[in-house]
Amino acid sequence: GSLQIQDFVAGLVGGIASVVAGHPLDTVKTRLQAGQGYGNTFNCVLTVYRNESLAGFFKGMSFPLASIGIYSSVVFGVFSNTQRLLGQLRHGDPAAAPSLTDMTLASLVAGVISVGIGTPVELVKIRLQMQTQPYNKANVNLNSTVPGSPVYRGPIHCLKTILQKEGIAGIYRGNVAMLLRDVPGYCAYFIPYAMFCDWITPDRSISPNPFSIWVAGGVAGAISWAVCTPMDVVKSRLQADGVYSNQYKGILDCMLQSYQNEGLKVFFRGLMVNTLRGFPSSAATFLGYELSLKAMKKCQTETNP
């Protein structure tokens, strides 16, 4: 079982597809979770549209396009290759149909590795999405940055600034929250997808058709985001914190403060928009992944029969 590069390439395609499909709602989600005065989902969409037109929804998109492409490439590549390795080790065949344990283990490995790359990426994305946000806190020291004026010129400048101000620890801010979000999240992503694909594909002999991939991917995305939302809120808040002022000492402090101020419902902020966005962006991911994988395999058999 050699390392298959194809899975990484297919993951890249899937990632790019998912950003185009999901970024507008992602901006809405971040503003809802970490911003003030946006009201409900519908209101938030209207406010962003009114103030920043359509372009507002695609704010900070060039960075996710590149980074989520790479990120998704790693997640899918690591997941598929771990699954193949486990198939070899446990069943003596890399192509063996993976058991539930195999899928869970592969999801765990993918989750842990993805957090290593994903934390700085998400941090930069959230800081860039949040910086047009008007701040009305009294404790903002005005000399550093006028609230509402952009702090970061772009992704690279944002990374540099965080590194200078907060060091490596700053770049990995929210990494525990992200681990707690992504490890269960990927299990709730890959396992329902595989099960649903099996269930929806009529005949065992054929690979699932694009429609069932789209549906299974969408459902898996929606389930996975529903599972992830509480930790996602904590992560968004931890990572948005520090644009203007530092409010949270850490993950527990953030959970406590959020709960004390807004009650239990705070942890379900953006649940609706996450689940809504999870469907198209995840459907696009799996469709991009499976179709490009199929295309590459086809090319391979044509070039070297």
Side-chain angles (χ1 to χ4, degrees):
S2 60
L3 188 73
Q4 287 203 348
I5 303 298
Q6 283 176 334
D7 290 308
F8 288 93
V9 179
L12 179 72
V13 176
I16 289 171
S18 83
V19 176
V20 178
H23 193 77
L25 278 173
D26 185 55
T27 300
V28 174
K29 179 209 78 168
T30 304
R31 302 263 176 114
L32 274 176
Q33 284 178 341
Q36 270 118 24
Y38 283 109
N40 59 18
T41 304
F42 182 66
N43 240 22
C44 185
V45 172
L46 278 181
T47 311
V48 175
Y49 182 70
R50 221 175 291 141
N51 298 341
E52 306 166 58
S53 81
L54 266 179
F57 295 103
F58 291 98
K59 256 217 178 84
M61 176 152 147
S62 58
F63 182 62
L65 263 183
S67 56
I68 288 178
I70 296 165
Y71 180 71
S72 160
S73 162
V74 170
V75 170
F76 276 90
V78 168
F79 177 78
S80 309
N81 282 295
T82 306
Q83 209 160 248
R84 222 175 272 116
L85 181 72
L86 286 168
Q88 183 71 58
L89 292 174
R90 298 187 49 186
H91 315 289
D93 172 18
S99 68
L100 196 60
T101 318
D102 296 340
M103 282 196 282
T104 309
L105 280 170
S107 300
L108 293 180
V109 174
V112 171
I113 288 181
S114 76
V115 171
I117 315 169
T119 307
V121 168
E122 291 264 302
L123 178 66
V124 169
K125 187 201 76 187
I126 283 178
R127 294 281 175 97
L128 291 175
Q129 279 173 327
M130 287 310 294
Q131 67 172 354
T132 52
Q133 172 79 30
Y135 272 72
N136 50 7
K137 293 205 190 78
N139 58 0
V140 176
N141 37 352
L142 289 173
N143 56 5
S144 63
T145 37
V146 184
S149 75
V151 187
Y152 310 114
R153 290 192 291 276
I156 306 296
H157 178 240
C158 178
L159 261 179
K160 272 197 197 138
T161 312
I162 298 170
L163 257 177
Q164 280 163 357
K165 278 194 190 160
E166 311 167 50
I168 296 285
I171 284 195
Y172 277 94
R173 202 182 166 81
N175 63 342
V176 178
M178 195 159 170
L179 258 179
L180 292 175
R181 181 193 78 168
D182 282 1
V183 170
Y186 279 124
C187 292
Y189 188 57
F190 286 118
I191 295 169
Y193 173 72
M195 284 162 72
F196 216 77
C197 248
D198 267 2
W199 183 62
I200 207 171
T201 305
D203 193 297
R204 289 312 304 239
S205 61
I206 52 165
S207 58
N209 61 5
F211 179 72
S212 36
I213 293 170
W214 187 82
V215 173
V219 170
I223 292 174
S224 155
W225 270 110
V227 169
C228 287
T229 295
M231 262 306 141
D232 187 45
V233 172
V234 175
K235 185 188 76 65
S236 287
R237 293 191 155 206
L238 278 173
Q239 291 187 326
D241 188 34
V243 179
Y244 295 103
S245 60
N246 280 48
Q247 185 182 345
Y248 306 117
K249 288 195 278 290
I251 182 168
L252 278 172
D253 183 44
C254 177
M255 287 165 91
L256 273 172
Q257 278 196 44
S258 300
Y259 175 66
Q260 279 161 354
N261 297 336
E262 297 165 71
L264 208 56
K265 69 172 194 302
V266 69
F267 298 111
F268 296 97
R269 266 229 188 139
L271 176 70
M272 179 80 176
V273 73
N274 262 344
T275 312
L276 276 175
R277 180 182 64 112
F279 195 99
S281 72
S282 168
T285 304
F286 278 107
L287 208 51
Y289 174 74
E290 300 279 7
L291 294 183
S292 52
L293 206 53
K294 211 178 254 175
M296 283 184 287
K297 291 213 162 91
K298 200 174 156 204
C299 282
Q300 216 177 14
T301 48
E302 277 167 11
T303 47
N304 39 347

